[in-house]
Coordinates of all heavy atoms in Angstrom, one line a residue:
M1 N 0.8 -1.2 0.0 CA 0.0 0.0 0.0 C 0.9 1.2 0.0 O 2.0 1.2 0.5 CB -0.9 0.0 1.2 CG -0.3 0.0 2.6 SD -1.4 -0.3 4.0 CE -1.1 -2.0 4.3
Q2 N 0.4 2.3 -0.6 CA 1.2 3.5 -0.7 C 0.3 4.7 -0.2 O -0.9 4.7 -0.4 CB 1.6 3.9 -2.1 CG 2.7 3.0 -2.6 CD 3.3 3.5 -3.9 OE1 2.6 4.2 -4.7 NE2 4.5 3.3 -4.2
F3 N 1.0 5.6 0.5 CA 0.4 6.8 1.0 C 1.2 8.0 0.6 O 2.4 7.9 0.6 CB 0.4 6.8 2.6 CG -0.5 5.7 3.1 CD1 0.1 4.5 3.6 CD2 -1.8 5.8 3.3 CE1 -0.6 3.5 4.1 CE2 -2.6 4.7 3.8 CZ -2.0 3.6 4.2
Q4 N 0.5 9.1 0.3 CA 1.1 10.4 0.1 C 1.0 11.1 1.4 O -0.2 11.2 2.0 CB 0.4 11.1 -1.0 CG 1.1 12.4 -1.5 CD 2.3 12.1 -2.3 OE1 2.4 11.1 -2.9 NE2 3.3 13.0 -2.2
I5 N 2.1 11.6 2.0 CA 2.0 12.4 3.3 C 2.7 13.7 3.1 O 3.9 13.8 3.2 CB 2.7 11.6 4.4 CG1 2.0 10.2 4.6 CG2 2.5 12.4 5.7 CD1 2.6 9.3 5.6
D6 N 1.9 14.7 2.8 CA 2.4 16.0 2.4 C 3.1 16.7 3.5 O 4.0 17.6 3.2 CB 1.3 16.9 1.8 CG 0.8 16.4 0.5 OD1 1.6 15.7 -0.3 OD2 -0.4 16.5 0.2
N7 N 2.8 16.5 4.8 CA 3.5 17.2 5.8 C 4.6 16.4 6.4 O 5.2 16.7 7.5 CB 2.5 17.5 7.0 CG 1.8 16.4 7.7 OD1 1.7 15.3 7.1 ND2 1.4 16.6 8.9
M8 N 5.1 15.4 5.7 CA 6.4 14.7 6.0 C 7.5 15.4 5.3 O 7.7 15.2 4.1 CB 6.3 13.2 5.6 CG 7.4 12.3 6.0 SD 7.2 10.6 5.5 CE 7.2 10.7 3.7
T9 N 8.3 16.1 6.1 CA 9.3 17.0 5.5 C 10.7 16.8 5.8 O 11.6 17.4 5.2 CB 9.0 18.5 5.8 OG1 9.0 18.6 7.3 CG2 7.6 18.9 5.3
C10 N 11.0 15.9 6.8 CA 12.4 15.7 7.2 C 12.6 14.3 7.7 O 11.7 13.5 7.7 CB 12.7 16.7 8.3 SG 11.8 16.4 9.8
G11 N 13.9 14.0 8.0 CA 14.2 12.7 8.5 C 13.5 12.3 9.8 O 13.2 11.2 10.0
G12 N 13.3 13.3 10.6 CA 12.6 13.1 11.9 C 11.2 12.7 11.6 O 10.6 11.8 12.3
C13 N 10.5 13.3 10.6 CA 9.2 12.9 10.2 C 9.2 11.5 9.7 O 8.3 10.7 10.1 CB 8.7 13.8 9.1 SG 8.4 15.5 9.5
A14 N 10.2 11.1 8.9 CA 10.2 9.8 8.4 C 10.4 8.8 9.5 O 9.7 7.7 9.4 CB 11.4 9.7 7.4
R15 N 11.2 9.1 10.5 CA 11.3 8.1 11.6 C 10.0 8.0 12.4 O 9.7 6.9 12.8 CB 12.5 8.6 12.5 CG 13.8 8.3 12.0 CD 15.0 8.6 13.0 NE 15.1 10.0 13.3 CZ 15.7 10.9 12.5 NH1 16.3 10.5 11.4 NH2 15.8 12.2 12.9
S16 N 9.3 9.1 12.6 CA 8.0 9.1 13.3 C 7.0 8.3 12.5 O 6.2 7.5 13.1 CB 7.5 10.5 13.5 OG 8.3 11.2 14.4
V17 N 7.0 8.4 11.2 CA 6.1 7.6 10.4 C 6.4 6.1 10.5 O 5.5 5.3 10.7 CB 6.2 8.1 8.9 CG1 5.5 7.1 7.9 CG2 5.5 9.4 8.7
T18 N 7.7 5.8 10.4 CA 8.1 4.4 10.5 C 7.7 3.8 11.9 O 7.2 2.7 12.0 CB 9.6 4.3 10.3 OG1 9.9 4.8 9.0 CG2 10.1 2.8 10.4
K19 N 8.0 4.6 12.9 CA 7.7 4.2 14.3 C 6.2 3.9 14.5 O 5.7 2.9 15.1 CB 8.2 5.2 15.3 CG 8.0 4.8 16.7 CD 8.6 5.9 17.6 CE 8.3 5.6 19.1 NZ 8.8 6.6 20.0
A20 N 5.4 4.8 13.9 CA 3.9 4.7 14.0 C 3.4 3.4 13.3 O 2.6 2.7 13.9 CB 3.2 5.9 13.4
I21 N 3.9 3.2 12.1 CA 3.6 1.9 11.4 C 4.0 0.7 12.2 O 3.2 -0.3 12.3 CB 4.1 2.0 10.0 CG1 3.5 3.1 9.2 CG2 3.9 0.6 9.3 CD1 4.2 3.5 7.9
H22 N 5.2 0.7 12.7 CA 5.7 -0.4 13.4 C 4.9 -0.6 14.7 O 5.0 -1.7 15.3 CB 7.2 -0.3 13.7 CG 8.0 -0.6 12.5 ND1 9.3 -0.2 12.3 CD2 7.7 -1.3 11.4 CE1 9.8 -0.6 11.2 NE2 8.8 -1.3 10.5
S23 N 4.2 0.4 15.2 CA 3.4 0.2 16.4 C 2.2 -0.7 16.2 O 1.7 -1.4 17.1 CB 3.0 1.5 17.0 OG 1.9 2.1 16.2
V24 N 1.7 -0.8 15.0 CA 0.7 -1.8 14.7 C 1.1 -3.0 14.0 O 0.5 -4.0 14.0 CB -0.5 -1.1 13.8 CG1 -1.2 -0.1 14.6 CG2 0.1 -0.6 12.5
D25 N 2.3 -3.0 13.4 CA 2.9 -4.2 12.8 C 4.4 -4.1 12.8 O 5.1 -3.5 12.0 CB 2.5 -4.3 11.3 CG 3.0 -5.6 10.7 OD1 3.8 -6.3 11.3 OD2 2.7 -5.8 9.5
P26 N 5.0 -4.7 13.9 CA 6.5 -4.6 14.0 C 7.3 -5.2 12.9 O 8.4 -4.9 12.6 CB 6.8 -5.3 15.3 CG 5.5 -5.3 16.0 CD 4.4 -5.3 15.0
Q27 N 6.6 -6.1 12.1 CA 7.3 -6.8 11.0 C 7.1 -6.0 9.6 O 7.6 -6.5 8.6 CB 6.8 -8.2 10.9 CG 6.9 -9.0 12.1 CD 8.3 -9.1 12.7 OE1 9.2 -9.3 11.9 NE2 8.4 -8.8 14.0
A28 N 6.4 -4.9 9.7 CA 6.1 -4.2 8.4 C 7.3 -3.7 7.7 O 8.3 -3.3 8.4 CB 5.1 -3.0 8.7
K29 N 7.3 -3.8 6.4 CA 8.4 -3.2 5.6 C 8.0 -1.9 5.2 O 7.0 -1.7 4.5 CB 8.7 -4.1 4.4 CG 9.9 -3.6 3.6 CD 10.2 -4.5 2.4 CE 11.4 -4.1 1.6 NZ 11.2 -2.8 1.0
V30 N 8.8 -0.8 5.6 CA 8.4 0.5 5.3 C 9.5 1.2 4.5 O 10.7 1.1 4.8 CB 8.3 1.3 6.7 CG1 7.9 2.8 6.4 CG2 7.3 0.7 7.6
D31 N 9.1 1.7 3.3 CA 10.0 2.4 2.4 C 9.5 3.8 2.2 O 8.4 4.0 1.8 CB 10.0 1.6 1.1 CG 11.0 2.3 0.1 OD1 12.2 2.5 0.5 OD2 10.7 2.5 -1.1
I32 N 10.4 4.7 2.6 CA 10.0 6.2 2.5 C 10.8 6.9 1.4 O 12.0 6.8 1.4 CB 10.3 6.8 3.9 CG1 9.3 6.2 4.9 CG2 10.1 8.3 3.8 CD1 9.4 6.7 6.3
D33 N 10.1 7.6 0.6 CA 10.6 8.4 -0.4 C 10.4 9.9 0.0 O 9.3 10.4 -0.2 CB 10.0 8.1 -1.8 CG 10.6 9.0 -2.9 OD1 11.3 10.0 -2.6 OD2 10.4 8.6 -4.1
L34 N 11.3 10.4 0.8 CA 11.1 11.7 1.4 C 10.9 12.9 0.3 O 10.0 13.7 0.5 CB 12.3 12.1 2.3 CG 12.0 13.2 3.4 CD1 10.7 12.9 4.1 CD2 13.2 13.3 4.3
P35 N 11.7 12.9 -0.7 CA 11.5 14.0 -1.7 C 10.1 14.0 -2.3 O 9.5 15.0 -2.6 CB 12.6 13.8 -2.8 CG 13.6 13.0 -2.1 CD 12.9 12.2 -1.0
Q36 N 9.5 12.8 -2.5 CA 8.2 12.6 -3.1 C 7.1 12.6 -2.0 O 5.9 12.6 -2.4 CB 8.1 11.3 -3.9 CG 9.0 11.3 -5.1 CD 8.6 12.3 -6.2 OE1 7.5 12.5 -6.5 NE2 9.6 13.0 -6.7
K37 N 7.5 12.6 -0.8 CA 6.6 12.5 0.4 C 5.7 11.3 0.3 O 4.5 11.4 0.5 CB 5.8 13.8 0.5 CG 6.6 15.0 0.7 CD 5.8 16.3 0.9 CE 6.5 17.6 0.9 NZ 7.7 17.6 1.8
R38 N 6.3 10.2 -0.1 CA 5.5 8.9 -0.3 C 6.0 7.8 0.6 O 7.2 7.7 0.8 CB 5.7 8.5 -1.8 CG 4.9 7.3 -2.2 CD 4.8 7.2 -3.6 NE 4.2 8.3 -4.2 CZ 3.7 8.4 -5.4 NH1 3.7 7.4 -6.2 NH2 3.1 9.5 -5.8
V39 N 5.1 7.1 1.1 CA 5.4 5.9 2.0 C 4.8 4.7 1.4 O 3.6 4.6 1.0 CB 4.9 6.1 3.4 CG1 5.2 4.9 4.3 CG2 5.4 7.4 4.0
T40 N 5.7 3.6 1.2 CA 5.2 2.3 0.7 C 5.3 1.4 1.9 O 6.4 1.3 2.5 CB 6.0 1.8 -0.4 OG1 6.0 2.8 -1.5 CG2 5.5 0.5 -1.0
V41 N 4.2 0.7 2.2 CA 4.2 -0.2 3.3 C 3.8 -1.6 2.9 O 2.8 -1.8 2.1 CB 3.1 0.2 4.4 CG1 3.1 -0.7 5.6 CG2 3.4 1.7 4.8
E42 N 4.6 -2.6 3.3 CA 4.2 -4.0 3.1 C 3.9 -4.6 4.4 O 4.8 -4.7 5.3 CB 5.4 -4.8 2.5 CG 5.7 -4.4 1.0 CD 6.8 -5.2 0.4 OE1 7.1 -6.4 0.9 OE2 7.5 -4.6 -0.4
S43 N 2.6 -4.9 4.6 CA 2.1 -5.3 6.0 C 0.9 -6.2 5.8 O 0.2 -6.1 4.9 CB 1.8 -4.1 6.8 OG 1.2 -4.5 8.0
G44 N 0.7 -7.0 6.8 CA -0.5 -7.8 6.9 C -1.7 -7.1 7.5 O -2.8 -7.5 7.5
V45 N -1.4 -5.9 8.0 CA -2.4 -5.1 8.7 C -3.1 -4.3 7.6 O -2.5 -3.9 6.6 CB -1.7 -4.1 9.7 CG1 -2.7 -3.1 10.3 CG2 -1.0 -4.9 10.8
N46 N -4.4 -4.1 7.8 CA -5.2 -3.4 6.7 C -4.9 -2.0 6.6 O -4.3 -1.3 7.5 CB -6.7 -3.7 6.9 CG -7.3 -3.0 8.1 OD1 -7.0 -1.9 8.4 ND2 -8.3 -3.7 8.7
R47 N -5.2 -1.4 5.4 CA -4.9 0.0 5.1 C -5.4 1.0 6.1 O -4.8 1.9 6.5 CB -5.4 0.2 3.7 CG -5.1 1.6 3.2 CD -5.7 1.8 1.8 NE -5.1 3.0 1.2 CZ -4.0 3.1 0.6 NH1 -3.2 2.0 0.3 NH2 -3.5 4.2 0.1
S48 N -6.7 0.8 6.5 CA -7.3 1.7 7.4 C -6.6 1.8 8.8 O -6.5 2.8 9.4 CB -8.8 1.5 7.6 OG -9.0 0.2 8.2
A49 N -6.1 0.6 9.3 CA -5.3 0.6 10.5 C -4.0 1.4 10.4 O -3.7 2.2 11.3 CB -5.1 -0.8 11.0
V50 N -3.4 1.2 9.3 CA -2.1 2.0 9.1 C -2.4 3.5 9.0 O -1.7 4.3 9.6 CB -1.4 1.5 7.8 CG1 -0.2 2.3 7.5 CG2 -0.9 0.0 8.0
A51 N -3.4 3.8 8.2 CA -3.8 5.2 8.0 C -4.2 5.9 9.4 O -3.8 7.0 9.7 CB -4.9 5.4 7.1
S52 N -4.9 5.1 10.2 CA -5.3 5.6 11.5 C -4.1 5.9 12.4 O -4.1 6.9 13.1 CB -6.2 4.5 12.2 OG -6.6 5.0 13.4
V53 N -3.1 5.0 12.5 CA -1.9 5.3 13.3 C -1.1 6.5 12.8 O -0.5 7.2 13.5 CB -1.0 4.1 13.6 CG1 -1.7 3.0 14.4 CG2 -0.4 3.5 12.4
L54 N -1.1 6.6 11.5 CA -0.4 7.8 10.9 C -1.1 9.1 11.3 O -0.4 10.0 11.7 CB -0.3 7.6 9.4 CG 0.7 6.6 8.9 CD1 0.5 6.4 7.4 CD2 2.1 6.9 9.2
E55 N -2.4 9.1 11.2 CA -3.2 10.3 11.6 C -2.9 10.5 13.1 O -2.8 11.7 13.5 CB -4.7 10.1 11.4 CG -5.0 10.1 9.9 CD -6.5 9.8 9.6 OE1 -7.3 9.9 10.5 OE2 -6.7 9.5 8.4
G56 N -2.9 9.5 13.9 CA -2.7 9.6 15.4 C -1.3 10.2 15.7 O -1.1 10.9 16.7
A57 N -0.3 10.0 14.8 CA 1.0 10.5 14.9 C 1.2 11.9 14.4 O 2.2 12.5 14.4 CB 2.0 9.6 14.3
G58 N 0.1 12.5 13.8 CA 0.1 13.8 13.3 C 0.3 14.0 11.8 O 0.6 15.1 11.3
F59 N 0.3 12.9 11.1 CA 0.5 12.9 9.7 C -0.9 12.6 9.0 O -1.7 11.9 9.5 CB 1.5 11.9 9.3 CG 2.9 12.2 9.9 CD1 3.3 11.6 11.0 CD2 3.7 13.1 9.3 CE1 4.5 11.9 11.6 CE2 4.9 13.4 9.9 CZ 5.3 12.8 11.0
L60 N -1.0 13.3 7.8 CA -2.3 13.1 7.1 C -2.1 12.3 5.8 O -1.7 12.9 4.8 CB -2.8 14.5 6.8 CG -3.0 15.4 8.0 CD1 -3.4 16.9 7.5 CD2 -4.1 14.9 8.9
P61 N -2.3 11.0 5.9 CA -2.1 10.2 4.8 C -3.2 10.2 3.8 O -4.4 10.4 4.2 CB -2.0 8.8 5.4 CG -2.9 8.8 6.5 CD -2.7 10.2 7.1
R62 N -2.9 10.2 2.5 CA -3.9 10.1 1.5 C -3.4 9.1 0.5 O -2.1 8.8 0.4 CB -4.2 11.4 0.8 CG -3.1 12.1 0.2 CD -3.5 13.5 -0.3 NE -2.4 14.3 -0.8 CZ -2.0 14.3 -2.0 NH1 -2.6 13.5 -2.9 NH2 -0.9 15.0 -2.4
P63 N -4.2 8.4 -0.3 CA -3.8 7.4 -1.2 C -2.8 8.1 -2.2 O -3.0 9.2 -2.7 CB -5.0 7.0 -2.0 CG -6.1 7.3 -1.0 CD -5.7 8.5 -0.3
A64 N -1.7 7.4 -2.5 CA -0.7 7.9 -3.4 C -1.2 7.7 -4.9 O -1.9 6.7 -5.2 CB 0.6 7.1 -3.3
A65 N -1.0 8.7 -5.7 CA -1.5 8.6 -7.1 C -0.7 7.6 -7.9 O 0.4 7.3 -7.6 CB -1.3 10.0 -7.7

């Protein structure tokens, strides 16, 4: 699954995003493209659960185009 996170602007943001995703799935594979503000997640957890923890961490995920 891919998310566009427009307010992810730095390495600290990327770490926070990764930490949030790992809070619902410690085994998730998280790939962050900071210049494109895009996050790719490989996880057994459903998309809405991942989006929910990202929102809870202060990031506004939307489906990547």
Side-chain angles (χ1 to χ4, degrees):
M1 63 189 99
Q2 286 192 331
F3 297 98
Q4 189 74 30
I5 303 179
D6 293 327
N7 66 333
M8 182 177 64
T9 58
C10 66
C13 294
R15 284 189 294 279
S16 294
V17 164
T18 301
K19 184 176 177 183
I21 294 166
H22 284 159
S23 75
V24 290
D25 182 359
Q27 305 304 315
K29 182 177 183 296
V30 181
D31 183 47
I32 294 181
D33 182 344
L34 198 52
Q36 297 294 318
K37 301 183 185 313
R38 184 165 299 196
V39 180
T40 304
V41 181
E42 290 179 30
S43 172
V45 175
N46 70 38
R47 182 180 191 87
S48 61
V50 173
S52 179
V53 296
L54 290 172
E55 288 174 20
F59 297 96
L60 303 174
R62 59 186 175 90

